[in-house]
């Protein structure tokens, strides 16, 4: 149980285009999902907290207009990287909280974005 | 604010040897502590966690960690390393007051020599 999927697992896009990454909780409803970014050989940095039906809360330094997050249902959150640039190339990982009161997050397998 | 420090970005052990990965935390309120493992190009898998209660927690794959408040530590151990344990390990901390946001350490890459 508590499986989180991401799609696509790997994407290459040209500079200036936008790309959407999906995060789904497959066997549970997640009121809260988190989006992380991980640079090569570095730790995960929280980008934003996504709550179903409301606006995402972004961490300091994360551009809201560049990284659009939508949490339209209890099983799906999307991250859209708009006008992507090579410096946006990274590993993006989402996680979902099983219950509102739960301290545990379940992580997706990640999406590797390469911007050329 | 909370933080995590993982000492040693790379640790190498022989198969069958003790695994010890160090994690120290900083938090002004009682912490919730986690260890995650990440295999190449994959997401994170929870190994174990400490929230309250018993300070020695056991996780999957034979790993365990002990919460030591006096030392602000949560070191991860395994008595006997296996080749399949080679991966990146992350220590993380959160608190109730932080809205359950996880703060991760920089990770320790474990290599297991045959």
């Amino acid at each position: 149980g508590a499986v989180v999927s991401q799609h696509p697992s790997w994407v290459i896009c040209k500079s200036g285009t936008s790309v959407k990454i999906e995060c789904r909780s497959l066997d549970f409803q997640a009121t809260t999902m988190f989006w992380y970014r991980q640079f090569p050989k570095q730790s995960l940095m929280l980008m934003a907290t996504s709550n179903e039906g409301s606006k995402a809360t972004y961490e300091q330094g994360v551009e809201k207009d560049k990284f659009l997050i939508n949490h339209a249902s209890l099983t799906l959150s999307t991250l859209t990287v708009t006008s992507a640039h090579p410096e946006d190339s990274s590993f993006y990982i989402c996680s979902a909280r099983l219950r509102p009161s739960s301290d545990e997050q379940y992580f997706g397998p990640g999406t590797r974005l390469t911007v050329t | 604010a909370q933080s995590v420090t993982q000492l040693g970005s790379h640790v190498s052990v022989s198969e069958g040897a003790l695994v010890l990965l160090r994690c120290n935390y900083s938090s002004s309120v009682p912490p919730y502590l986690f260890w995650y493992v990440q295999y190449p190009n994959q997401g994170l898998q929870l190994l174990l966690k400490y929230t309250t209660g018993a300070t020695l927690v056991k996780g999957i794959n034979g790993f365990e960690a002990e919460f030591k408040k006096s030392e602000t530590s949560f070191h991860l151990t395994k008595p006997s390393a296996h080749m399949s344990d080679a991966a990146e390990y992350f220590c993380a901390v959160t608190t109730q007051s932080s809205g359950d946001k996880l703060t991760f350490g920089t990770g320790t890459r474990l290599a297991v020599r045959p």
Side-chain angles (χ1 to χ4, degrees), chain A residues 31-47:
Chain A
T31 55
T32 302
M33 291 183 171
F34 302 86
W35 285 96
Y36 297 85
R37 184 174 180 175
Q38 184 180 30
F39 291 101
K41 300 183 179 181
Q42 294 188 31
S43 188
L44 281 75
M45 299 298 295
L46 180 65
M47 299 175 65

Side-chain angles (χ1 to χ4, degrees), chain A residues 79-114:
Chain A
L79 168 67
T80 301
V81 182
T82 63
S83 187
H85 291 283
E87 56 265 31
D88 298 325
S89 298
S90 190
F91 197 50
Y92 292 89
I93 301 175
C94 73
S95 70
R97 196 155 61 191
L98 186 59
R99 293 177 296 276
S101 60
S102 174
D103 52 61
E104 195 169 321
Q105 296 178 25
Y106 294 88
F107 286 80
T111 296
R112 183 161 301 284
L113 170 63
T114 302

Side-chain angles (χ1 to χ4, degrees), chain A residues 4-9 21-24 35 92-94 108-111:
Chain A
V4 176
S5 71
Q6 282 184 241
H7 178 78
S9 57
I21 302 169
E22 294 184 348
C23 176
R24 293 181 185 273
W35 285 96
Y92 292 89
I93 301 175
C94 73
T111 296

Side-chain angles (χ1 to χ4, degrees), chain B residues 3-8 22-26 35 75 91 104-106:
Chain B
S3 66
V4 171
T5 301
Q6 290 183 242
L7 295 176
R22 300 179 185 275
C23 172
N24 288 89
Y25 70 91
S26 174
W35 275 101
H75 301 330
C91 182
F104 286 87
T106 51

Side-chain angles (χ1 to χ4, degrees), chain B residues 1-18:
Chain B
Q2 62 222 29
S3 66
V4 171
T5 301
Q6 290 183 242
L7 295 176
S9 58
H10 290 82
V11 170
S12 180
V13 300
S14 297
E15 190 173 19
L18 170 72

Side-chain angles (χ1 to χ4, degrees), chain B residues 18-106:
Chain B
L18 170 72
V19 175
L20 170 61
L21 304 183
R22 300 179 185 275
C23 172
N24 288 89
Y25 70 91
S26 174
S27 176
S28 57
V29 298
Y32 294 168
L33 295 159
F34 303 79
W35 275 101
Y36 288 90
V37 61
Q38 184 182 33
Y39 297 99
N41 295 314
Q42 295 186 29
L44 276 68
Q45 180 181 4
L46 180 66
L47 279 177
L48 49 78
K49 67 176 181 180
Y50 168 80
T51 53
T52 59
T55 56
L56 180 63
V57 292
K58 296 183 183 299
I60 62 172
N61 301 339
F63 284 94
E64 63 182 37
E66 186 171 10
F67 170 63
K68 293 187 176 180
K69 184 178 179 180
S70 61
E71 299 178 7
T72 61
S73 69
F74 190 59
H75 301 330
L76 181 71
T77 61
K78 182 174 180 177
S80 177
H82 191 274
M83 297 297 292
S84 62
D85 294 327
E88 187 88 19
Y89 291 81
F90 291 97
C91 182
V93 63
T94 187
T95 65
Q96 284 190 327
S97 59
S98 71
D100 296 324
K101 294 179 184 179
L102 283 170
T103 299
F104 286 87
T106 51

Side-chain angles (χ1 to χ4, degrees), chain A residues 15-82:
Chain A
S15 185
T17 63
S18 297
V19 60
K20 180 184 287 187
I21 302 169
E22 294 184 348
C23 176
R24 293 181 185 273
S25 56
L26 297 185
D27 50 1
F28 67 100
Q29 293 183 331
T31 55
T32 302
M33 291 183 171
F34 302 86
W35 285 96
Y36 297 85
R37 184 174 180 175
Q38 184 180 30
F39 291 101
K41 300 183 179 181
Q42 294 188 31
S43 188
L44 281 75
M45 299 298 295
L46 180 65
M47 299 175 65
T49 301
S50 168
N51 291 297
E52 187 268 337
S54 63
K55 291 183 178 180
T57 302
Y58 291 81
E59 295 300 298
Q60 191 172 9
V62 177
E63 298 177 60
K64 302 179 183 181
D65 295 332
K66 182 169 189 59
F67 299 100
L68 300 179
I69 292 173
N70 183 280
H71 194 158
S73 76
L74 287 172
T75 60
L76 174 64
S77 176
T78 60
L79 168 67
T80 301
V81 182
T82 63

